[in-house]
Structure formats: structure tokens, C-alpha cells
Amino acid sequence: MADWLSEEWLQGLADLADSRPPVPGITGTVSVAITIGRRDQVAYHWSYRDGVPGDGGVGAAADAQLALLAANDDAAALMSGEVEPSVAYMRGRLKASGDGALLLAYLESTATDQYREWRSHAASVLEN
């Protein structure tokens, strides 16, 4: 079992990038940073090409079209499904900068059964 936000956990999540639900018509890279304490952050990223999810990696993607930022506790709530990404965004708990169309399409994709299934699968893989 990989520890939450460890390098192994981040790599496991990045390895699942190509199994994310599609986001029709979107091409770009999404980079997610999670803050730990006042100064530390961990990050991972993934890409879409014509809506199809592609590769992912550990670390922030310097050329990301969309950057997301969440605090540790908020990221845990997002990963567990306790809070949906669109709700976290509206409450200011998930911050975003960059391509607005990519943000809206991504948030829309997270409101689907396919995303909830992916999130559940990702959580089970990362727990083992």
C-alpha cells in the first residue's frame, strides 16, 4: 500500500492517467498540485489529445494548459469522493488557472458515472 501523496502513490495515479474518462474535443495537459503545510507541494499531471486521456507523470507539467491546486485535506476529500471537483471549485477549495474551456470540460467529465467508477478504481489500486 502506497502512503498518501508519496512518490509511489503519485506514480500510481499518474500510471492510471490513460484510463481516465474522455473529455470530448479537448486537447491539453492538466497539472495538479497538492499543498502540504505552508511550503511543500507534490504534483502530478496528465494529458488529453482530442478528448482521449493520455500519459501522465509525477511532478508539475511546465507546459500545462490547466493548473489545479488543492490543499491536502481537500485533495483527500476529492479523491475519496466526499466532495465532487465542481463543488470544490465553486467553494474555492480547488483553484484553477489556465484554459477555461479545458477546466469546464474537465469538471463536466467528473460529474459522470464513468469518472466515479475511475475514481473508485484508482482508490482501490492505490490502496494495494
Side-chain angles (χ1 to χ4, degrees):
M1 176 167 142
D3 291 333
W4 168 249
L5 300 183
S6 67
E7 186 80 14
E8 181 184 4
W9 188 90
L10 291 166
Q11 186 60 58
L13 192 58
D15 290 346
L16 294 168
D18 62 355
S19 67
R20 285 180 170 275
V23 180
I26 293 298
T27 296
T29 300
V30 178
S31 187
V32 178
I34 301 168
T35 59
I36 306 166
R38 290 181 167 242
R39 297 186 186 166
D40 294 329
Q41 281 187 355
V42 296
Y44 66 97
H45 62 274
W46 72 93
S47 63
Y48 295 102
R49 182 167 179 87
D50 296 324
V52 177
D55 61 340
V58 175
D63 61 347
Q65 284 72 41
L66 176 61
L68 301 174
L69 175 67
N72 184 9
D73 291 344
D74 295 320
L78 288 163
M79 190 65 196
S80 72
E82 181 183 329
V83 176
E84 293 299 324
S86 58
V87 173
Y89 176 72
M90 288 186 293
R91 291 181 179 166
R93 310 302 279 171
L94 176 64
K95 303 206 184 312
S97 60
D99 187 327
L102 178 54
L103 171 64
L104 292 176
Y106 166 69
L107 290 175
E108 185 177 338
S109 79
T110 66
T112 64
D113 288 338
Q114 196 174 12
Y115 176 78
R116 286 185 274 286
E117 289 168 11
W118 176 85
R119 182 179 54 212
S120 177
H121 172 71
S124 70
V125 167
L126 295 170
E127 286 177 2
N128 296 321

